[in-house]
Amino acid sequence: MRVKALSFLNSLLGYFTVTAVLSFSLLILAVLYDGSRTLETAVIQNVKANVTQTSKLLNMTVSTYLGQGDLKTVSIFFTEMLDEQVDNGVTYVVIGGNDKRILLSTFTSPREIPAPDTLDQLETSALKRTEIHIRNPLLLPGREEGYLQYGLSTRSLVDAVVKEQRNSLVRSCTVLLVVFAIMFFLGMRISRRLKEITLASQAIVSGDYLHSIQVSGSDELAILSQHFNIMANEINRKISEITELNQQLEDRVARRTSELAHAYKLQEEHLQHLQDTKDQLVYSEKLAGLGSLVAGVAHELNTPLGNALTITTTLSDKIKEAHQAYENGRLKRTDLDRLFSTISEADVLLVNNISRAAELISSFKTIAVDQTSEMRRSFNLRKILLELELTLRLQLKQKKISLEIDVEPDINMDSFPGPLTQIIVNLFNNALIHAFDGREQGMIRLVASTDNDNDGKLIISFQDNGCGISKENILKIFDPFFTTKLGQGGSGLGLHISYNIVHGVLGGSISVQSVIGKGTEFLIKLPLIAPSRS
């Protein structure tokens, strides 16, 4: 029962009923209070008017007989006229002199005279007591002679006021009950209609979009029900459209997914092909650099090996001549001395030329092995670069370009010498192709040192005094396949490979500065200990 009561109070009908009852209760209480105040005011005014009239009448009556000295007639008059048990009117009269002596009293038995009410007390006591006590001065012709006090019964007025207030309360409660019943009936009707709408909305939430509300009447709730049914039909129609569109979208997504998967597969194949092509180009670039070294070394080896061949051929001819002279018996001591002298000179020349060839082959072997492998090892930078210098200078034999290498002798590294020398070869070849284009002479300078202010990193500066690089091209020189000599000896991969090696393999950085007409400088910063490669 308590749960039902709480459920009712928490419902819209409960709110509506409680609000209506409270509103009408407050209104009826206000009307009752106002009516009671008006009735009490009217009774008080009536009592005041009655007191005024009674006071005048009694004073006139008493003054007429007392003026003649006939107090006995006054006593008989009041005794016959008054009754202490009357419900309305005068109940007793007491006349006193100026010396406070009682001249006349209508009480049948001795009793204390009640204290008179003042004018202020009259407004409150008239409705609280059934009798009020009035004392006025007794006025005789030409003088004031004592006082006249009488009792005035208001029992009938008080009873009438109480009865009227009770009847008003009964009527108000009756009206309140009737209003409550009407409000409850209207609230039940509205609640029932709202409950139908609530159940219909719950059905729609659960997926029953065909659920509709029975519409009756033409009030606002009926219009709301009509609009609700229209909304439900529209929702059902929209859901059907969305379902159909969703199916179409799923089909399109499936087709598109299949197309994208096929395109992705093709893209992977293209990327793999591009990667293979790039690897081949990078390998070709390495081989191209190595090929130029091979050509230079082969050209350089021709001189000592050619000299050695000439010497051995000449020495062989001299030995054959001496042998024939010996067989013919014509060999002289002077001939042997010249032969021995020739053999001694040939020996010196052969040793020098073969040593030169061996030195070139050893240097080339070290550089070739380093450039064709990416093995990590400890090495001295100066030794590596000086061995590289021998092969680089071979490419400058026919050019008026000087090469200067300034490397501190005590720079030891734990890194990858092959990739490092490949960077230097790429920068060197780039300078020969681009920096001195159209120039007959120039200078290339390679400086390497450690920077104590920069965590002891290796600083390599590769400089040339060539034609320089324009501002438009300097931002793109490390991009793959960018070259200004396409088809003229440039592939556009040399500097890109160098950039990747510096940042990836060696764990450093490379930057470039150039001034048109004055030259270019590549600045490489590398750690002495290369980072580990996973």
Side-chain angles (χ1 to χ4, degrees):
M1 188 69 182
R2 184 179 179 182
V3 174
K4 291 183 177 180
L6 289 175
S7 177
F8 172 77
L9 290 176
N10 290 329
S11 65
L12 187 61
L13 175 60
Y15 294 150
F16 181 76
T17 303
V18 170
T19 302
V21 170
L22 289 177
S23 299
F24 277 95
S25 297
L26 292 175
L27 178 61
I28 290 174
L29 288 176
V31 171
L32 287 176
Y33 177 77
D34 187 65
S36 177
R37 292 286 297 173
T38 302
L39 183 61
E40 290 176 357
T41 302
V43 169
I44 291 173
Q45 295 298 328
N46 188 6
V47 169
K48 287 183 178 180
N50 194 4
V51 167
T52 301
Q53 292 178 359
T54 301
S55 297
K56 289 181 179 180
L57 178 62
L58 290 178
N59 189 75
M60 290 177 61
T61 301
V62 172
S63 63
T64 299
Y65 289 102
L66 285 181
Q68 300 174 1
D70 191 0
L71 187 61
K72 184 178 181 180
T73 301
V74 174
S75 177
I76 294 172
F77 174 76
F78 284 132
T79 301
E80 295 294 333
M81 183 185 71
L82 302 181
D83 184 0
E84 294 182 12
Q85 304 300 322
V86 71
D87 292 337
N88 191 21
V90 180
T91 58
Y92 74 91
V93 176
V94 175
I95 299 174
N98 288 332
D99 55 359
K100 297 184 179 180
R101 184 172 55 87
I102 302 300
L103 301 177
L104 176 66
S105 176
T106 61
F107 291 123
T108 56
S109 59
R111 55 178 293 188
E112 184 179 355
I113 299 174
D117 295 319
T118 63
L119 185 61
D120 294 335
Q121 293 174 336
L122 185 62
E123 295 183 356
T124 58
S125 62
L127 296 176
K128 292 182 179 180
R129 300 202 307 268
T130 59
E131 185 179 24
I132 59 176
H133 308 281
I134 308 300
R135 175 178 291 189
N136 294 319
L138 180 60
L139 300 176
L140 296 179
R143 70 182 187 276
E144 177 180 338
E145 190 71 28
Y147 65 90
L148 187 151
Q149 179 174 330
Y150 61 93
L152 185 64
S153 177
T154 60
R155 183 185 301 277
S156 60
L157 288 175
V158 172
D159 292 343
V161 170
V162 171
K163 183 179 180 180
E164 181 61 25
Q165 289 177 342
R166 186 182 300 112
N167 292 336
S168 297
L169 180 62
V170 171
R171 288 193 299 270
S172 299
C173 291
T174 303
V175 171
L176 182 62
L177 290 176
V178 172
V179 169
F180 174 76
I182 294 173
M183 292 296 178
F184 184 78
F185 173 75
L186 293 176
M188 285 293 293
R189 184 177 180 185
I190 294 173
S191 178
R192 185 173 62 255
R193 302 279 290 278
L194 292 177
K195 188 175 182 180
E196 291 177 357
I197 297 175
T198 302
L199 293 176
S201 63
Q202 291 176 351
I204 290 178
V205 170
S206 62
D208 184 10
Y209 302 107
L210 297 177
H211 188 88
S212 60
I213 304 174
Q214 296 295 329
V215 180
S216 60
S218 59
D219 55 9
E220 289 83 354
L221 289 178
I223 296 174
L224 178 61
S225 300
Q226 291 177 356
H227 290 171
F228 187 90
N229 291 336
I230 294 173
M231 180 188 68
N233 292 331
E234 286 296 316
I235 290 176
N236 184 56
R237 186 176 65 83
K238 292 295 183 182
I239 288 178
S240 299
E241 293 178 357
I242 292 173
T243 302
E244 183 179 355
L245 289 174
N246 188 42
Q247 184 61 41
Q248 295 176 0
L249 182 60
E250 288 181 356
D251 295 340
R252 293 175 60 186
V253 168
R255 290 196 302 270
R256 186 58 178 165
T257 302
S258 178
E259 294 174 357
L260 288 176
H262 180 67
Y264 180 73
K265 185 177 180 181
L266 292 177
Q267 186 179 19
E268 281 189 332
E269 294 177 355
H270 293 160
L271 286 175
Q272 185 61 42
H273 180 69
L274 289 174
Q275 185 64 39
D276 295 341
T277 303
K278 180 182 176 182
D279 293 341
Q280 292 175 4
L281 289 173
V282 171
Y283 184 69
S284 299
E285 186 71 17
K286 290 182 179 180
L287 293 181
L290 190 60
S292 61
L293 293 179
V294 171
V297 170
H299 178 75
E300 190 69 14
L301 283 175
N302 281 335
T303 300
L305 292 179
N307 292 337
L309 180 59
T310 303
I311 293 170
T312 55
T313 302
T314 303
L315 184 60
S316 177
D317 292 339
K318 294 294 183 181
I319 292 173
K320 286 180 180 182
E321 290 178 359
H323 186 265
Q324 289 177 359
Y326 173 73
E327 288 181 349
N328 295 329
R330 291 185 284 106
L331 182 62
K332 299 178 182 179
R333 182 179 181 84
T334 55
D335 294 331
L336 286 175
D337 290 338
R338 284 196 300 271
L339 177 61
F340 290 148
S341 176
T342 301
I343 292 174
S344 178
E345 292 176 0
D347 178 62
V348 173
L349 292 175
L350 282 174
V351 170
N352 290 336
N353 283 279
I354 292 174
S355 297
R356 173 61 177 165
E359 183 181 357
L360 287 173
I361 292 173
S362 177
S363 175
F364 172 74
K365 180 181 178 181
T366 302
I367 299 302
V369 169
D370 283 340
Q371 288 201 10
T372 55
S373 68
E374 294 186 358
M375 182 180 297
R376 177 174 184 154
R377 63 184 177 88
S378 298
F379 59 93
N380 181 270
L381 180 64
R382 178 180 175 83
K383 181 179 178 182
I384 290 293
L385 293 183
L386 290 180
E387 289 176 348
L388 180 62
E389 180 186 10
L390 295 176
T391 58
L392 295 179
R393 288 188 181 279
L394 298 179
Q395 302 182 52
L396 302 178
K397 285 254 181 172
Q398 306 299 325
K399 303 178 183 293
K400 295 180 180 180
I401 298 175
S402 62
L403 174 63
E404 297 180 11
I405 295 182
D406 183 8
V407 183
E408 293 180 0
D410 56 348
I411 300 177
N412 297 312
M413 301 183 67
D414 179 9
S415 188
F416 301 89
L420 178 57
T421 56
Q422 184 182 354
I423 294 171
I424 303 302
V425 171
N426 289 345
L427 294 177
F428 182 80
N429 292 333
N430 184 73
L432 293 183
I433 296 173
H434 298 281
F436 303 109
D437 184 22
R439 295 194 177 195
E440 295 182 356
Q441 58 183 6
M443 182 271 295
I444 296 176
R445 190 164 185 264
L446 177 63
V447 180
S449 61
T450 54
D451 185 3
N452 295 327
D453 296 333
N454 199 8
D455 298 330
K457 283 189 176 182
L458 172 65
I459 307 297
I460 298 177
S461 174
F462 189 93
Q463 310 167 15
D464 67 67
N465 60 351
C467 59
I469 306 172
S470 65
K471 292 182 179 180
E472 300 82 36
N473 293 335
I474 200 169
L475 299 175
K476 300 182 288 185
I477 60 173
F478 294 118
D479 293 345
F481 307 109
F482 174 77
T483 179
T484 58
K485 298 290 185 179
L486 186 62
Q488 304 176 30
S491 64
L493 285 175
L495 293 181
H496 176 66
I497 293 172
S498 300
Y499 182 89
N500 289 339
I501 292 174
V502 170
H503 285 268
V505 178
L506 303 181
S509 63
I510 182 172
S511 59
V512 59
Q513 295 179 348
S514 183
V515 178
I516 296 294
K518 292 186 178 181
T520 303
E521 178 185 14
F522 287 88
L523 194 64
I524 303 172
K525 296 181 180 181
L526 300 176
L528 296 177
I529 300 176
S532 299
R533 300 177 65 183
S534 57

